[in-house]
Amino acid sequence: MAAGETKETIWHGGDLATAKALFPQAPKPWIDLSTGINPIPYPLPELPLSLWQRLPGTAEEAMLLAAAREAYRARPESGVVAAPGTQILIELLPRLVPAANVAVLGPTYGEHAPAWRKVGAEVREIADFAEVGDANVVVLVNPNNPDGRIVACETLVELAGALAARGGLLVVDEAFADFAPEMSLLPTLPEGALVLRSFGKAYGLAGLRLGFAIGEPRLTDALHTMLGPWAVAGPALHVGAVALRDAAWLSTTAEARAADAGRLDALLAPLGRVVGGAVLYRLLEMSRAASLFERLGRAGVYVRRFQHDPSRLRFGLPGDEAAWARLADALASA
Amino acid sequence: MAAGETKETIWHGGDLATAKALFPQAPKPWIDLSTGINPIPYPLPELPLSLWQRLPGTAEEAMLLAAAREAYRARPESGVVAAPGTQILIELLPRLVPAANVAVLGPTYGEHAPAWRKVGAEVREIADFAEVGDANVVVLVNPNNPDGRIVACETLVELAGALAARGGLLVVDEAFADFAPEMSLLPTLPEGALVLRSFGKAYGLAGLRLGFAIGEPRLTDALHTMLGPWAVAGPALHVGAVALRDAAWLSTTAEARAADAGRLDALLAPLGRVVGGAVLYRLLEMSRAASLFERLGRAGVYVRRFQHDPSRLRFGLPGDEAAWARLADALASA
């Protein structure tokens, strides 16, 4: 079995091939609620053929970075680097911080800890910052995935300062911060902190592959050097620049998705306890989560289960009334 | 100045911002002959919105890899990894081969040597394999860019064997091999050799960002691990899979572009000596190359000059009759 053909061992949402294999008899089309991706995407702007034909130019890249700086309210002295998705930044970052002792605030997105382990770092999952100990790298997702826990900026500023004092780094993955901009660390980004931002989730265009790292230019420059020129596709540069300048779409969408999240909570409430989540996903705790996962799967509704916590399921937002109806039916028969 | 906003110091073709800055008065539109990208791209298939919305799935990735295996005639035992462009593979590969002593057969594409230097490798440019010496990594572009030099497979098999015997690696960048498939090393890929293939050049879709590394699964697996999941965008997975299965388009296009190359040679012949090239670019040697570069630039025709060889210019192929006419006019007035 060759590279790229190997089985993923970390569970993720979004790969319908897994759902199809688990529930081959399920009615079509699949309702995929297994991700935290906005189901109603930013409307694609027209994409001139030249975006596909030409190597992405430095001018286009500069326009995207300027739009990202403004949308994310980055400090002028912060460096910004764009990548084909945040995931590759998660993979490459550990190669910049040698022999790290890493604490990941968890449970959280499954890819952070392995990326550090791959380069030989010692990685602990901690439940609270009181357990940071002598870690020189601390990673958190804020708001957290899947439970939506938010750590306040003041706490992060203090932690980043402590880490910076010993040459360490605080990594804040703000993949789900677009609809809660007031909690972003970026406008007050302290020394010793690096923030990751994902484009695809809030804008509903995860297949585009676009993400950013924002922090000390020393680090963002080094990431840019590792990626090399032209890492982001021409269409992604353009769509990103257009969408990130569209503040009106973002605020309208934030309201609409928050209303959807409330509607989802109401559907889930009779089945268990909604213990958290962000605007784009809700986390349900219930004693018979495994059996609900099965029942939903057989009804063609794919939700996110967790390898290490069989009592929880994460639900993304349905994207249209047909999907809402099928979800409601499947839950009602559960 | 932040990451990604820094000035590129290696000269490349394809960035029209440079041409515009050098020749602000040039007539529009620019005729960009500064790259070796097919000016008549593969017709984009329809791209369902789901390709943009969803995380690229393992099934889509597997389809692309299968198409690449067949199109490139890879050996069944070779590993194949897809990346968002070959460039990022060039950047990451040196991080897999520690403390390398590298020989790059040159002059050639400007990004190979710096990628190895970035990780502290000792890099020499060699003019001939007789100078390989104790290098444990040898890099060549085949056919070479910009002069089109082709090294025979038997020579490469022998060299790969010698390198493999001392734990080394032969890197063969076949970015321009699509129109000369008979010379590819892939069908007989020996131990100790890794081949890079670019999608964007022959298929005229450089902005899509798609490239491959093919070789020992140990290496392609490691590259896949460094890239992480979802490195290639959904639209790129789909376009690549469709285009690489379209052998008829490739052979028709190879003939048409070869005819274009002959037409270009005829235009260039009065000005100097066409000393080489591949189907998608021709290399002109002449005593007054710098002045021709200026004259073409002022006429809105952008060609590729070389930092270390002021006697040569590289010409890509014009894409339509208007471009041919403007090139012919600009050359005639030179």
Side-chain angles (χ1 to χ4, degrees):
Chain A
M1 194 169 277
E5 293 158 3
T6 47
K7 266 260 166 68
E8 193 61 44
T9 53
I10 301 169
W11 283 11
H12 288 291
D15 198 350
L16 269 185
T18 305
K20 288 171 186 164
L22 286 171
F23 307 105
Q25 312 296 334
K28 307 281 176 301
W30 273 94
I31 308 295
D32 183 10
L33 306 182
S34 70
T35 74
I37 299 167
N38 183 352
I40 304 176
Y42 187 82
L44 282 178
E46 213 180 312
L47 297 171
L49 186 57
S50 63
L51 291 172
W52 302 90
Q53 287 184 273
R54 304 178 54 79
L55 280 173
T58 47
E60 285 90 340
E61 186 183 11
M63 277 178 58
L64 173 70
L65 296 179
R69 277 185 179 283
E70 191 174 336
Y72 298 144
R73 296 178 301 145
R75 299 179 65 177
E77 58 268 47
S78 295
V80 182
V81 59
T86 307
Q87 181 63 36
I88 199 165
L89 295 168
I90 292 174
E91 302 286 350
L92 296 182
L93 185 59
R95 295 168 198 271
L96 293 177
V97 185
N101 180 336
V102 180
V104 177
L105 190 65
T108 190
Y109 179 57
E111 292 281 354
H112 284 288
W116 291 94
R117 286 201 183 97
K118 280 176 196 170
V119 298
E122 206 159 302
V123 183
R124 288 174 295 133
E125 181 175 303
I126 60 173
D128 191 278
F129 287 147
E131 303 165 40
V132 162
D134 60 355
N136 66 333
V137 173
V138 175
V139 181
L140 78 155
V141 180
N142 204 36
N144 193 39
N145 172 7
D147 62 12
R149 179 205 54 229
I150 289 177
V151 178
C153 284
E154 307 83 75
T155 308
L156 297 179
V157 168
E158 192 179 324
L159 178 57
L163 290 166
R166 51 185 194 255
L169 183 68
L170 174 68
V171 180
V172 186
D173 181 348
E174 294 190 352
F176 293 99
D178 298 66
F179 295 141
E182 69 289 349
M183 54 72 63
S184 172
L185 190 59
L186 285 170
T188 56
L189 191 70
E191 196 194 347
L194 184 88
V195 170
L196 302 174
R197 297 291 299 231
S198 297
F199 176 79
K201 294 178 175 70
Y203 293 84
L205 296 169
L208 181 78
R209 308 313 296 136
L210 182 61
F212 301 89
I214 303 174
E216 285 172 44
R218 166 184 71 84
L219 281 175
T220 56
D221 284 347
L223 286 166
H224 193 264
T225 297
M226 290 179 83
L227 291 164
W230 321 301
V232 177
L237 288 179
H238 182 65
V239 174
V242 170
L244 288 170
R245 280 195 302 258
D246 194 345
W249 181 89
L250 188 67
S251 74
T252 310
T253 300
E255 272 183 50
R257 287 306 83 73
D260 289 344
R263 183 174 173 185
L264 181 55
D265 284 355
L267 281 181
L268 298 177
L271 289 138
R273 201 160 62 94
V274 176
V275 290
V279 169
L280 293 174
Y281 52 84
R282 311 306 291 167
L283 187 63
L284 179 69
E285 192 169 84
M286 63 186 292
S287 53
R288 304 196 39 183
S291 117
L292 179 59
F293 176 84
E294 289 285 330
R295 191 176 292 264
L296 290 170
R298 285 197 300 272
V301 177
Y302 186 45
V303 301
R304 176 73 162 86
R305 57 184 174 159
F306 297 92
Q307 257 151 326
H308 303 299
D309 190 347
S311 72
R312 292 175 164 198
L313 293 176
R314 193 189 66 191
F315 289 71
L317 301 176
D320 56 34
E321 286 305 322
W324 281 106
R326 281 185 55 198
L327 173 63
D329 283 354
L331 291 173
S333 73
Chain B
M1 192 170 276
E5 292 156 3
T6 48
K7 266 259 164 66
E8 192 62 45
T9 54
I10 300 169
W11 285 11
H12 289 290
D15 197 348
L16 269 185
T18 305
K20 288 171 185 164
L22 287 171
F23 307 105
Q25 312 296 333
K28 307 281 176 305
W30 274 93
I31 309 295
D32 183 8
L33 306 182
S34 70
T35 74
I37 299 167
N38 183 353
I40 304 176
Y42 187 81
L44 283 178
E46 212 179 313
L47 298 171
L49 186 58
S50 63
L51 291 172
W52 302 90
Q53 287 185 275
R54 302 177 55 79
L55 279 174
T58 47
E60 287 88 340
E61 187 182 12
M63 279 181 56
L64 173 71
L65 296 178
R69 278 187 179 281
E70 190 173 338
Y72 298 144
R73 297 179 299 145
R75 299 179 65 178
E77 59 268 48
S78 295
V80 182
V81 59
T86 308
Q87 181 63 36
I88 200 166
L89 295 168
I90 292 174
E91 303 286 350
L92 297 182
L93 185 58
R95 296 169 196 270
L96 293 177
V97 185
N101 179 339
V102 180
V104 177
L105 191 65
T108 191
Y109 179 58
E111 292 281 355
H112 284 289
W116 291 94
R117 287 203 182 97
K118 278 175 198 171
V119 297
E122 205 159 303
V123 183
R124 288 173 296 131
E125 181 175 302
I126 60 172
D128 193 279
F129 287 147
E131 303 164 40
V132 162
D134 60 355
N136 67 335
V137 173
V138 176
V139 181
L140 78 156
V141 180
N142 205 34
N144 193 38
N145 172 10
D147 64 9
R149 179 205 56 229
I150 288 176
V151 178
C153 283
E154 308 83 75
T155 308
L156 297 180
V157 168
E158 194 178 322
L159 179 57
L163 290 166
R166 50 183 192 257
L169 182 67
L170 175 67
V171 180
V172 187
D173 180 349
E174 294 190 350
F176 293 100
D178 299 66
F179 296 141
E182 69 290 349
M183 53 74 63
S184 172
L185 189 59
L186 285 171
T188 57
L189 191 71
E191 195 194 348
L194 183 88
V195 170
L196 302 174
R197 297 290 300 230
S198 295
F199 176 78
K201 294 178 176 72
Y203 292 84
L205 295 169
L208 181 78
R209 309 313 295 139
L210 183 59
F212 301 89
I214 305 173
E216 287 173 44
R218 164 183 71 85
L219 281 175
T220 55
D221 283 347
L223 285 167
H224 194 264
T225 297
M226 290 178 82
L227 291 165
W230 322 301
V232 177
L237 289 178
H238 182 65
V239 174
V242 170
L244 288 169
R245 281 196 302 258
D246 193 344
W249 181 90
L250 188 67
S251 75
T252 309
T253 300
E255 272 183 51
R257 289 302 86 74
D260 289 343
R263 184 175 172 186
L264 180 55
D265 284 355
L267 280 181
L268 297 177
L271 289 138
R273 203 160 61 94
V274 177
V275 292
V279 168
L280 292 174
Y281 53 84
R282 312 305 291 168
L283 187 63
L284 178 69
E285 192 169 84
M286 62 185 295
S287 53
R288 304 195 40 179
S291 118
L292 180 58
F293 175 83
E294 290 284 330
R295 192 176 292 265
L296 290 170
R298 285 196 298 270
V301 177
Y302 186 45
V303 300
R304 175 75 158 87
R305 57 184 173 156
F306 296 94
Q307 256 151 327
H308 303 299
D309 190 346
S311 72
R312 293 176 163 194
L313 293 176
R314 193 189 67 192
F315 290 71
L317 301 176
D320 56 34
E321 286 305 322
W324 281 104
R326 280 185 57 196
L327 173 64
D329 284 353
L331 291 172
S333 73

